[in-house]
Amino acid sequence: MVLFVLFESASGYGLYECKEFDQIAEQHADFQQSLTDFGKFSTLISQKAFMPFLSAADALGNINCVSEGLVHDTLKTFLENNYPKSKKKAKNELGVSEEKLGGAIQDACPGINCVKNQTVLEVLRAIRLHFHKTIEVLKDGDLEKAQLGLGHSYSRCKVKFNVNRADNMITQSIALLDQLNKDINTFAMRVREWYSYHYPELAQIVKDNILYAKVAYIIQSKDRLADDVRDRLEEVTMDPILTEKILSAIKSSMGQDISPVDLINICNFSERVISMDAYRTEVEEYLAEKMDNVAPNLKALIGDTVGARLISHAGSLTNLAKYPASTVQILGAEKALFRALKTRGNTPKYGLIYRSTFIGRASTGNKGRISRYLANKCSIASRIDCFSETGTTKFGTKLKEQVEDRLKFYETGEAPQTNVDAMKEVLDSLTPEERGLQSGKKRKRGGSSAMDVSMEDVSEKSEKRRKKEKKEKKEKKEKKEKKE
């Protein structure tokens, strides 16, 4: 058996032949020690062929295909021209760095048998170390320049064409919203403590923190009230009775006098808290808009804030769609789960979905049941949002109705609508545009839309997978027999 190794570099593809494959496989330690010596390396491994990339764009296209486990036309041509055909007595094998790439090469080039094992990885490590010496055309520094340029291009391409770029905006928005909530609460409490030296009675009259900051900014000094203070307070509080309480308490206030400089600082700080609250409202609107575009059904079911937290915790909408309902149910309660498994206690019933109003409305005995049901619906909604081509909120609205019916069932015993009937009802109500079909054109009978999956493709893939598994089992048996 002759082993050939495919090496992908920033400058091109290289094909290497291992002359003494059996010795390399038997003596891993001796081979690793001889890696640093180019003389010993050249006796064990020789270069068979090399194909340089024509341009930086060609290099980027080839490396993108390699990273995704696909065979580029350049790679296919290179292997067809340079890889020797196997003989009856001596069979050839091609060592690759990734199993996915090896499977793609076997599909594209039927006569090539690809392998990946520890020996191949050791050979690739040796080639990577001495690659610049095996290519005579390369000058000093050329390989480093090619690697640097390709690395920048590859990273730029990955960032630019990131499929989760819309999900990243949701992740950052919900993180910013959480931080704003903490900061505003902290700063509002600081305003309360600071202004209470001057007007302590206001803290008992006005309970809301943001409203307190607005009232303090309007009143400022209680000894020198403006003429339009009553109108401005009524505009903020929207309650004439509350305004009267605030103004009447000023007359009998026992707060201390403060200097104009201190008052200016208090007013500036109050204004900053008010502006942060206004900015928080803008972020909430922005988050709601992003959720409408990315996950409309999840938003319609559980709300934009809770839906955004689920996406953020999962990492992306695609990851959330891949999770089973049981994982979605306890998402965010990982510490409690592992603590319960370690101490053999009761596992948590819910995680982030506890913030939903449905669980709060359920009775104590039904909280776990409704959380499990709600997680199931969230999983369905996230998969619809992730894999559908057109956005619609009809599925999310119907799923929300199902959760409402389930709550009624727990209270009254009235049987809810089945999931099959509910989904059929939504599908019947969808317009051609919402189904992803072109308006004015009917789908041909027996044809399938872009969202449908062909059963023939599925059967072909499963058959290929079975053949691959059989091959792997045979190879394992042969290796065991050789070792014995």
Side-chain angles (χ1 to χ4, degrees):
M1 184 176 62
V2 182
L3 177 66
F4 293 88
V5 178
L6 175 66
F7 181 71
E8 315 93 12
S9 70
S11 56
Y13 291 116
L15 186 66
Y16 292 82
E17 180 182 358
C18 296
K19 298 177 182 177
E20 300 178 10
F21 172 70
D22 296 332
Q23 293 182 13
I24 294 171
E26 291 173 1
Q27 300 174 357
H28 279 295
D30 297 338
F31 177 66
Q32 289 175 359
Q33 290 176 0
S34 64
L35 289 180
T36 54
D37 188 7
F38 180 68
K40 292 181 179 179
F41 167 81
S42 58
T43 58
L44 295 173
I45 300 166
S46 63
Q47 185 186 19
K48 185 75 176 175
F50 177 73
M51 176 183 281
F53 295 130
L54 301 176
S55 61
D58 185 31
L60 179 61
N62 277 274
I63 294 302
N64 276 330
C65 289
V66 169
S67 65
E68 293 171 7
L70 303 175
V71 179
H72 197 270
D73 293 338
T74 306
L75 177 59
K76 185 178 179 182
T77 305
F78 173 70
L79 291 174
E80 287 175 349
N81 294 336
N82 298 290
Y83 186 79
K85 293 182 180 179
S86 300
K87 298 178 182 178
K88 291 183 178 180
K89 294 182 179 180
K91 292 183 179 180
N92 300 334
E93 286 186 342
L94 180 65
V96 292
S97 57
E98 294 292 337
E99 292 181 0
K100 192 176 179 182
L101 178 63
I105 290 174
Q106 287 183 162
D107 294 337
C109 307
I112 299 177
N113 183 29
C114 297
V115 293
K116 184 209 170 182
N117 49 38
Q118 190 62 33
T119 305
V120 172
L121 294 178
E122 291 294 336
V123 172
L124 285 170
R125 190 164 71 90
I127 295 171
R128 192 177 295 109
L129 182 64
H130 302 291
F131 177 71
H132 62 285
K133 297 178 183 177
T134 60
I135 309 298
E136 297 178 357
V137 184
L138 291 177
K139 299 178 183 178
D140 293 338
D142 288 351
L143 183 61
E144 288 77 9
K145 289 178 182 178
Q147 289 173 345
L148 183 63
L150 182 60
H152 285 177
S153 302
Y154 183 77
S155 302
R156 194 181 299 113
C157 182
K158 285 294 180 183
V159 171
K160 187 176 180 181
F161 298 104
N162 184 11
V163 293
N164 299 324
R165 56 184 179 272
D167 303 353
N168 294 338
M169 300 301 108
I170 292 175
T171 302
Q172 297 299 327
S173 299
I174 194 64
L176 175 60
L177 196 59
D178 290 340
Q179 191 64 44
L180 280 173
N181 289 332
K182 292 178 183 177
D183 293 345
I184 289 171
N185 287 336
T186 305
F187 293 162
M189 292 302 297
R190 185 63 57 202
V191 171
R192 276 181 175 272
E193 292 181 11
W194 203 351
Y195 193 67
S196 292
Y197 292 121
H198 182 59
Y199 187 7
E201 292 81 8
L202 185 62
Q204 300 297 325
I205 299 171
V206 180
K207 301 295 183 182
D208 185 71
N209 289 334
I210 304 302
L211 183 59
Y212 184 94
K214 292 178 179 178
V215 170
Y217 181 72
I218 292 171
I219 294 175
Q220 296 186 7
S221 176
K222 62 181 181 180
D223 300 327
R224 296 182 299 275
L225 294 175
D227 297 334
D228 60 341
V229 66
R230 182 180 292 274
D231 297 335
R232 292 170 65 190
L233 284 174
E234 285 185 2
E235 185 180 350
V236 170
T237 59
M238 301 176 67
D239 188 357
I241 299 173
L242 182 61
T243 303
E244 187 61 34
K245 285 182 181 180
I246 294 170
L247 294 175
S248 61
I250 290 176
K251 299 175 183 178
S252 59
S253 176
M254 56 186 294
Q256 65 182 18
D257 296 332
I258 56 177
S259 64
V261 178
D262 296 335
L263 188 61
I264 289 170
N265 282 283
I266 294 173
C267 293
N268 289 339
F269 190 47
S270 302
E271 188 179 8
R272 181 61 59 87
V273 173
I274 295 167
S275 65
M276 286 179 68
D277 180 63
Y279 178 62
R280 176 172 61 180
T281 306
E282 293 177 6
V283 173
E284 288 173 349
E285 293 174 357
Y286 168 75
L287 179 62
E289 185 180 349
K290 295 301 291 184
M291 286 294 292
D292 277 331
N293 297 332
V294 177
N297 291 292
L298 188 62
K299 178 192 172 184
L301 171 62
I302 205 169
D304 50 1
T305 307
V306 182
R309 290 184 200 282
L310 289 174
I311 293 173
S312 174
H313 200 82
S316 66
L317 182 62
T318 307
N319 292 345
L320 183 63
K322 291 176 182 177
Y323 286 160
S326 57
T327 304
V328 176
Q329 181 182 351
I330 59 170
L331 206 64
E334 289 83 2
K335 286 185 179 180
L337 174 66
F338 291 120
R339 184 172 61 247
L341 294 174
K342 188 177 181 180
T343 59
R344 297 184 180 180
N346 295 328
T347 55
K349 297 177 182 177
Y350 28 67
L352 291 171
I353 59 173
Y354 182 74
R355 298 171 182 264
S356 173
T357 57
F358 297 114
I359 297 175
R361 287 161 51 192
S363 60
T364 307
N366 294 324
K367 285 187 184 295
R369 298 168 69 187
I370 197 64
S371 67
R372 185 165 57 252
Y373 189 80
L374 180 61
N376 186 14
K377 300 304 173 187
C378 287
S379 182
I380 294 172
S382 62
R383 288 167 188 173
I384 293 171
D385 290 329
C386 181
F387 301 112
S388 62
E389 294 182 353
T390 55
T392 175
T393 58
K394 291 183 179 180
F395 288 100
T397 306
K398 194 64 182 178
L399 292 171
K400 186 176 181 180
E401 290 177 9
Q402 285 186 281
V403 180
E404 296 279 359
D405 294 341
R406 181 65 60 165
L407 282 172
K408 291 179 183 177
F409 169 71
Y410 291 150
E411 293 175 0
T412 61
E414 183 181 351
Q417 187 182 19
T418 61
N419 192 49
V420 176
D421 295 338
M423 293 297 103
K424 187 178 180 183
E425 185 180 329
V426 176
L427 288 171
D428 293 339
S429 66
L430 291 177
T431 60
E433 289 81 6
E434 290 171 336
R435 285 176 178 268
L437 304 174
Q438 294 180 357
S439 58
K441 291 185 180 180
K442 292 183 179 180
R443 190 171 60 182
K444 291 182 180 180
R445 193 171 184 177
S448 61
S449 66
M451 293 173 62
D452 296 332
V453 180
S454 175
M455 294 304 294
E456 293 178 1
D457 295 342
V458 174
S459 61
E460 286 178 5
K461 288 179 181 178
S462 61
E463 199 170 335
K464 284 181 180 178
R465 197 180 295 115
R466 286 172 193 164
K467 289 181 179 178
K468 198 173 181 181
E469 288 175 356
K470 284 182 180 179
K471 272 188 179 181
E472 289 176 356
K473 286 180 180 178
K474 284 182 180 179
E475 287 175 0
K476 287 180 180 178
K477 284 182 179 178
E478 288 175 359
K479 287 179 182 178
K480 285 182 180 179
E481 289 174 359
K482 285 181 181 179
K483 286 180 180 179
E484 290 173 356

